[in-house]
Amino acid sequence: MTTGVERTEAPASSLPAAESAPAWKRFLPIVIGVAITLAAFVALEHMVSELSLADVRQALSAVSTRDLVLAVLLTVLSFAAVSLYDVVAVDTIAPGRVTRPMAAAVGAAGYAVSNALGFPLLTGGALRYHVYKSGGIELADIGRIVGTSWFALWFALALMVGAALLVDPGDVPVLRDLGLFAEIALGAGLVAAVVGFVIWLSYGDRRASIGKLSLPLPSGNGALIQIAAGIVDLAAAAGVLYVLMPEGSVGSFVLFAVIFAVAVVVGVASSAPGGLGAFEATIVVSLGLENRADVVAALLIYRLIYTVLPLVLTVVALLAVEAVRRRDAIKGPTREFVRVFEPMVPPTVAVLAFAGGIVLLASGSTPGVYERLTILHAYLPLPFIEITHLAATVVGVALLVVARGLAKRLWRAWVVSIGLLIAGAAFSILKGLDWEEAILLLILAVLLLGFRHAFYRRSGINPFAITWGWLAAVCATLIATVWLGLLAYRNVDYANTLWFDFATHGNAPRFLRASLVAFAVLAAVGLDVAIHRRTERVQKRSEVPPEVAPIVAASPHTAAALALLGDKRFLFSPDKRGFVMYARSGGSLIALGEPVAPPDIMADLAWAFRDKADREAERPVFYQVRPESLPLFLDMGLVALKLGEVARVDLTKFNTDGPKKQDLRTAVRRAEREGLEFSIISREEVAASMDELRAVSDAWLAIKSGSEKGFSLGYFDPAYLRHFDMAVLKKEGQIVAFANLWRGADKYELSIDLMRFLPNVSRIIMDALFTRLMLHAKAEGYQWFDLGAAPLSGLVDRRGASRWNRFGSFLYRRGGSFYHFDGLKAFKQKFGPVWTPHYLVCPGGFDTAKVLVDVTTLISGRPKLP
């Protein structure tokens, strides 16, 4: 059971938001990334100021077949090394949970996608989550796997820099001004540090602690394998570009590899997908190879071989997986690899849509074919050609924007993307008979159609999952296409009249107008995101203000203890005698219950919260309101939806006498026969038993699929649990069940929050603990014992009832397949409680539906526990 075991208030697994990071901390990396990208393309413009597209095309044709083959082979070697990151990480963090071939496939294929699109946490991290969770690996361990892989990359980079300083001091970029002795000393220090660290790992199990996060480190052998893999990865990736660079343009390979690694880091810091522009600018600047068409050609081919080719192979693999997935019987290793690759569909399709947008924008930034434009003009009027050119640009920007929705598996983004690709194909023909682009866009649309099953989410809050970070990536891409246009029209003298020059072969004016429209569309999307902002619902635990604890202690209602969780924000009264605890979700401010305050200021606090929501253009919501408070909220013009009923036991009348309490008496006697001992651990002593309590909690979560809950419930967090006494059952001196106690002021009410137990200890463990606890509370003089809510209980199903009541009543009767409504109420009924309704109070009309989505979204969040 869920409620009755804990105070679950709604059928959802949840853990919602707390304080978000300051705005400047969220936006600073985005601003820096866009600035890096802008600076990179300004630098590139200066570095290729004497080149033309014709020069680059000639240089591309001059690249030898031998170099191309060697670059492909080195790409294979690099990706093979990348696959070892995950193999060693999984063996270290979760041995035996996932097979090595699966881990290798995840590492290599995930990197192919994230290398093309960027955003490794969204693409590679999400892929690992979907694959590894199916192998029974917890979210925290998945984070450790990713962290261990990053460890290998950075230590490999340190070893390469150290080796370069020792082998060729005086020529390492950035560090060449330190002096010969300092460079040799630094190189020796880096190499010694890495070697010493590996030796240290060889002596026993080692762990790294970052705050409260504990990260198991690989063994000495595992670290050697990962560092070796990192060196091979970086060296092979650098080798791809090295063999493509013109002969005599670079010095020793060791120094080039260091420059390459630095360029990768700069590219990651930029907002551009795959570090586009920033990576190239770093390479050119560091090597001093300005105005060389053969260098630009090498960089372009590198992108095609190391970025596009692995992505194409991944798409082919996904198509094969789709074909296999639709077969009736899939067995053995084939089933496993289908499960590996299926989660890659959304990010890969997102890359395809993003690529379609780039194709359209690049086409709009480069000259059309003279003969084709002449033929087109014979059949279509010039204004039509101009309009379709602008329309293709708008479609290109739209594809870049909605691609993130594909990565998040949103159905609406999938539908819109297919429509945009088809429209883009049509506009490509109508603006310049660009049939190659049209065919490519139609192929992408067909690929999207083939992956229909992967897009099932229908978010009403953020239909395309647009964020400021994604818009920054789109902006960086637009900067790249504008730079391409400036390169293409370098020989055109700029004049203000160009903006108004309309001619069949007026490519440069068409490019200027298209660029302006592209940035105008992006600005409009950014304005929409700013106005209709989507707040984060999953945030880190924050410190509870010191004023909260005394107010909670003075409240007779035990639910006030949820303020101590650290996952909520607070609106205090001017005299700090009361507060409203709340969280943001979608377009709503959601308060938990009534204000926690003395009666004389409760109404003012509630109105202050409503006014705050009004000022911030948010919907005011009060979740879990008692019936006696309804008049206050109805006066605000809000409506009330009944959520269910709360079970409260009158302790002044509670006993275990009579035939109706036979089950309770039997549970207590059987517990005594089975050696289950009841006791209360004071909150001062709870810390000493925390490890034992955690073991019980982890075992309980394992049988409940590991889903913690929050906002209207507590979750296992030592800082939170130290606030409360703990009721425990022990067997042979070991804790086998526990419940933390919420105590209301003046002994008005006592209740529990978490109630967790070891499986397979006793069938009557819950009945025994609740019965003993109620008898104990009665002996202490408490008036009421709160058993928590029965969701959707007590809703009316009559012809004149509201739609909400009738729907909730239907769900209560028919929803037993996913939530045990009847069993939950039956469990609580055996204690003879008084059933009291509780409500959700919110704006009416269409806003009610939006509030229900916001509340569900908030309650369905995932925890970020320390």
Side-chain angles (χ1 to χ4, degrees), residues 82-133:
V82 165
S83 68
L84 287 180
Y85 291 163
D86 276 54
V87 172
V88 177
V90 169
D91 281 351
T92 301
I93 306 295
R97 302 281 187 89
V98 174
T99 63
R100 289 178 176 177
M102 177 185 287
V106 171
Y111 182 67
V113 176
S114 61
N115 187 44
L117 185 60
F119 302 97
L121 291 180
L122 174 66
T123 52
L127 168 66
R128 287 175 173 86
Y129 171 72
H130 284 292
V131 175
Y132 290 152
K133 74 175 182 180

Side-chain angles (χ1 to χ4, degrees), residues 29 50 99 107 117 121 176 184 257 282 369 434 446 671 776 855:
E50 299 175 7
T99 63
L117 185 60
L121 291 180
R176 59 170 58 99
I184 295 175
T282 304
V369 179
D434 297 325
V446 171
H776 178 82
V855 171

Side-chain angles (χ1 to χ4, degrees), residues 219-354:
S219 64
N221 290 335
L224 282 175
I225 294 173
Q226 280 199 312
I227 292 173
I231 293 174
V232 172
D233 170 30
L234 288 173
V240 176
L241 182 56
Y242 184 81
V243 299
L244 294 170
M245 295 292 281
E247 187 175 353
S249 61
V250 295
S252 71
F253 175 73
V254 174
L255 293 179
F256 179 80
V258 173
I259 293 172
F260 178 89
V262 172
V264 169
V265 173
V266 174
V268 170
S270 73
S271 296
L276 183 65
F279 171 84
E280 285 80 2
T282 304
I283 293 290
V284 174
V285 169
S286 299
L287 295 175
L289 299 175
E290 294 86 352
N291 290 308
R292 291 193 57 172
D294 50 3
V295 172
V296 175
L299 289 167
L300 288 174
I301 296 175
Y302 165 80
R303 285 290 185 180
L304 290 173
I305 292 178
Y306 196 77
T307 303
V308 176
L309 179 60
L311 178 64
V312 171
L313 294 176
T314 301
V315 172
V316 172
L318 288 175
L319 289 172
V321 167
E322 284 298 300
V324 174
R325 188 185 65 84
R326 292 171 182 171
R327 293 175 58 185
D328 294 333
I330 308 174
K331 298 180 180 179
T334 303
R335 179 192 297 272
E336 184 178 36
F337 276 93
V338 166
R339 184 160 57 91
V340 168
F341 279 96
E342 275 193 316
M344 288 194 59
V345 170
T348 304
V349 171
V351 174
L352 296 179
F354 205 93

Side-chain angles (χ1 to χ4, degrees), residues 200-543:
W200 176 70
L201 291 175
S202 302
Y203 290 92
D205 295 333
R206 303 294 189 180
R207 306 182 74 85
S209 297
I210 306 173
K212 296 183 179 180
L213 174 65
S214 179
L215 176 68
L217 297 175
S219 64
N221 290 335
L224 282 175
I225 294 173
Q226 280 199 312
I227 292 173
I231 293 174
V232 172
D233 170 30
L234 288 173
V240 176
L241 182 56
Y242 184 81
V243 299
L244 294 170
M245 295 292 281
E247 187 175 353
S249 61
V250 295
S252 71
F253 175 73
V254 174
L255 293 179
F256 179 80
V258 173
I259 293 172
F260 178 89
V262 172
V264 169
V265 173
V266 174
V268 170
S270 73
S271 296
L276 183 65
F279 171 84
E280 285 80 2
T282 304
I283 293 290
V284 174
V285 169
S286 299
L287 295 175
L289 299 175
E290 294 86 352
N291 290 308
R292 291 193 57 172
D294 50 3
V295 172
V296 175
L299 289 167
L300 288 174
I301 296 175
Y302 165 80
R303 285 290 185 180
L304 290 173
I305 292 178
Y306 196 77
T307 303
V308 176
L309 179 60
L311 178 64
V312 171
L313 294 176
T314 301
V315 172
V316 172
L318 288 175
L319 289 172
V321 167
E322 284 298 300
V324 174
R325 188 185 65 84
R326 292 171 182 171
R327 293 175 58 185
D328 294 333
I330 308 174
K331 298 180 180 179
T334 303
R335 179 192 297 272
E336 184 178 36
F337 276 93
V338 166
R339 184 160 57 91
V340 168
F341 279 96
E342 275 193 316
M344 288 194 59
V345 170
T348 304
V349 171
V351 174
L352 296 179
F354 205 93
I358 293 176
V359 167
L360 285 169
L361 291 172
S363 174
S365 299
T366 51
V369 179
Y370 185 91
E371 293 78 8
R372 295 182 186 182
L373 285 172
T374 302
I375 295 172
L376 192 66
H377 183 58
Y379 295 95
L380 295 176
L382 180 60
F384 191 85
I385 297 174
E386 296 286 351
I387 291 173
T388 53
H389 190 279
L390 294 178
T393 299
V394 172
V395 170
V397 177
L399 280 169
L400 301 184
V401 170
V402 303
R404 188 175 191 274
L406 294 172
K408 303 297 285 185
R409 299 172 176 262
L410 298 182
W411 175 82
R412 189 177 301 181
W414 176 79
V415 172
V416 171
S417 296
I418 291 176
L420 289 172
L421 287 169
I422 295 173
F427 292 144
S428 294
I429 295 295
L430 296 174
K431 74 180 180 65
L433 295 180
D434 297 325
W435 57 267
E436 301 94 340
E437 297 161 14
I439 292 175
L440 178 60
L441 293 172
L442 289 175
I443 291 173
L444 294 179
V446 171
L447 289 175
L448 261 67
L449 283 170
F451 295 127
R452 166 66 185 90
H453 77 280
F455 303 94
Y456 56 86
R457 294 176 178 169
R458 298 174 182 252
S459 172
I461 299 175
N462 195 346
F464 300 120
I466 302 169
T467 64
W468 288 112
W470 191 265
L471 288 181
V474 174
C475 181
T477 305
L478 289 183
I479 292 172
T481 58
V482 170
W483 175 83
L484 178 63
L486 294 175
L487 177 64
Y489 302 110
R490 184 179 308 284
N491 297 325
V492 176
D493 294 329
Y494 175 78
N496 290 333
T497 55
L498 276 178
W499 293 94
F500 310 103
D501 183 6
F502 296 92
T504 303
H505 302 289
N507 291 308
R510 209 169 281 140
F511 153 68
L512 290 175
R513 291 189 291 269
S515 299
L516 180 62
V517 168
F519 280 103
V521 171
L522 183 61
V525 174
L527 185 62
D528 177 74
V529 172
I531 294 174
H532 305 97
R533 57 193 178 281
R534 314 306 188 199
T535 54
E536 296 292 333
R537 71 177 187 273
V538 181
Q539 300 165 1
K540 295 181 180 179
R541 189 183 191 279
S542 61
E543 292 296 324

Side-chain angles (χ1 to χ4, degrees), residues 24 64 92 171 178 251 284 395 457 510 617 652 705 803 846 858:
W24 70 269
S64 69
T92 301
D171 288 330
L178 290 178
V284 174
V395 170
R457 294 176 178 169
R510 209 169 281 140
T652 62
S705 301
R803 291 186 180 90
F846 288 112
L858 178 64

